[in-house]
Amino acid sequence: MTYETILVEQQGAVTLITLNRPQALNALNSQVLTELTAAFNAYDADPKQRCAVLTGSGEKAFAAGADIKEMVDKDAADFFLQDFFSGWQTGVVATRKPWIAAVAGFALGGGCELAMMADFIIAADTAKFGQPEIKLGVAPGMGGSQRLTRAVGKAKAMEMCLTGRNMDAAEAERSGLVSRIVAADQLVAEALKTAQAIAAMPPMAAMVNKEMVNIAFETNLAQGLLTERRLFQILTATQDKKEGMTAFVEKRPGVWKGR
Ligand code: CAA
């Protein structure tokens, strides 16, 4: 597929996806969703690709939100009948392999929500996160009220949604929204380095670790612990478990089969 709103490149086992509408601060319109869905599906389906990084083009924004110009003339029936925003869950969140959001500049509204769909966020020191939808007479629609609340707790999430104020990188790290902060000019290089480290892990184990952590947000503790044990037990049937433990005992690096 040829893309117009994103750039996709492969660096070894890592796929780098770049939102590429800098003139609109990478606002997320339907075409971006269609293309991101295709790119994430292709990444998931390619056995040679083992981790992905999503970032924004330009220094100013990761993404300044859902495209307001695309929404301004739609009415409630349009949004309801199209089940507007539902495609982000099926097209992006459903990705089974790990991926990292590398955020510099604005991650507002849908931009913040897209970053939070990632397995974790690495932020540039220029990053600003916010859910300003209330200023447009609406509210988050791509998961912000749920994922932000789970990430930073009720007090900060509620304040951000009700006032539309932004959180800077330092506050985002303090609050647990991002895993760490790096200098803006090092952001993509650092994210790719982290992605390469993940890509060097046994790939089924990476997928299962991702699934396990995500299950913590979907279920109660007893069910989560049971699911963790069962998934652990399933992994012990893989060739990579045998190889990983044998390699440790033999004091050599593991060579992964991916099964
Ligand atoms: N949708 C469409 N276009 C957008 C956009 C958006 N979310 N954000 C910025 N743009 C466009 C601007 O319209 C402008 O285009 P033109 O040059 O054609 O006028 C261009 O990007 C540059 O933006 P600004 O001139 O506004 O840049 P700035 O530096 O003055 O301000 C900003 C930057 C504070 C991020 C400002 O652009 C802004 O407030 N953007 C909107 C943020 C927002 O409200 N996001 C939430 C959207 S709703 C949503 O996401 C719903 C949901 O839950 C999924």
Side-chain angles (χ1 to χ4, degrees):
M1 177 167 176
T2 317
Y3 301 115
E4 291 175 352
T5 64
I6 61 173
L7 305 169
V8 180
E9 59 189 278
Q10 294 180 349
Q11 299 197 5
V14 172
T15 300
L16 174 64
I17 305 172
T18 306
L19 300 166
N20 193 30
R21 299 184 71 211
Q23 72 289 354
L25 302 186
N26 299 322
L28 307 168
N29 62 13
S30 306
Q31 189 179 357
V32 175
L33 172 58
T34 301
E35 294 186 2
L36 274 183
T37 299
F40 274 107
N41 284 344
Y43 159 61
D44 241 1
D46 184 344
K48 293 199 178 71
Q49 293 303 294
R50 297 186 171 180
C51 193
V53 172
L54 176 66
T55 195
S57 59
E59 292 167 6
K60 212 168 152 186
F62 172 75
D67 193 315
I68 299 167
K69 291 167 189 167
E70 187 179 63
M71 297 188 289
V72 62
D73 291 324
K74 286 187 193 289
D75 65 18
D78 295 326
F79 285 107
F80 180 80
L81 292 171
Q82 292 166 19
D83 200 7
F84 207 75
F85 294 142
S86 63
W88 292 95
Q89 190 66 27
T90 49
V92 175
V93 179
T95 306
R96 294 181 69 206
K97 292 183 192 169
W99 63 280
I100 303 166
V103 174
F106 292 112
L108 302 182
C112 183
E113 294 167 299
L114 174 57
M116 292 189 292
M117 291 175 200
D119 298 316
F120 59 94
I121 302 171
I122 299 178
D125 46 14
T126 58
K128 291 185 195 65
F129 299 88
Q131 298 292 158
E133 290 90 340
I134 193 166
K135 297 179 191 170
L136 303 169
V138 288
M142 283 165 53
S145 64
Q146 305 305 298
R147 291 198 179 93
L148 186 65
T149 307
R150 282 165 171 77
V152 305
K154 178 181 170 184
K156 275 190 190 289
M158 191 69 92
E159 187 196 349
M160 288 171 70
C161 288
L162 286 177
T163 67
R165 86 162 170 90
N166 294 343
M167 207 184 240
D168 65 16
E171 185 179 7
E173 186 186 35
R174 230 172 26 243
S175 312
L177 180 58
V178 310
S179 67
R180 64 197 162 93
I181 304 173
V182 299
D185 61 357
Q186 293 300 309
L187 175 69
V188 173
E190 276 295 327
L192 287 172
K193 199 166 119 190
T194 306
Q196 295 289 4
I198 294 169
M201 299 295 165
M204 264 185 73
M207 292 170 75
V208 169
N209 274 272
K210 166 176 174 149
E211 194 173 337
M212 278 183 182
V213 174
N214 281 333
I215 283 167
F217 292 94
E218 306 281 355
T219 192
N220 64 37
L221 182 60
Q223 194 58 47
L225 291 171
L226 177 62
T227 307
E228 181 191 82
R229 281 201 308 281
R230 294 289 177 258
L231 287 172
F232 171 87
Q233 290 156 3
I234 286 169
L235 273 183
T236 63
T238 62
Q239 295 173 39
D240 283 348
K241 172 265 172 191
K242 177 111 182 105
E243 166 66 6
M245 294 197 180
T246 305
F248 174 82
V249 172
E250 294 176 355
K251 300 189 188 296
R252 60 169 175 83
V255 180
W256 312 123
K257 292 235 167 18
R259 48 196 311 119

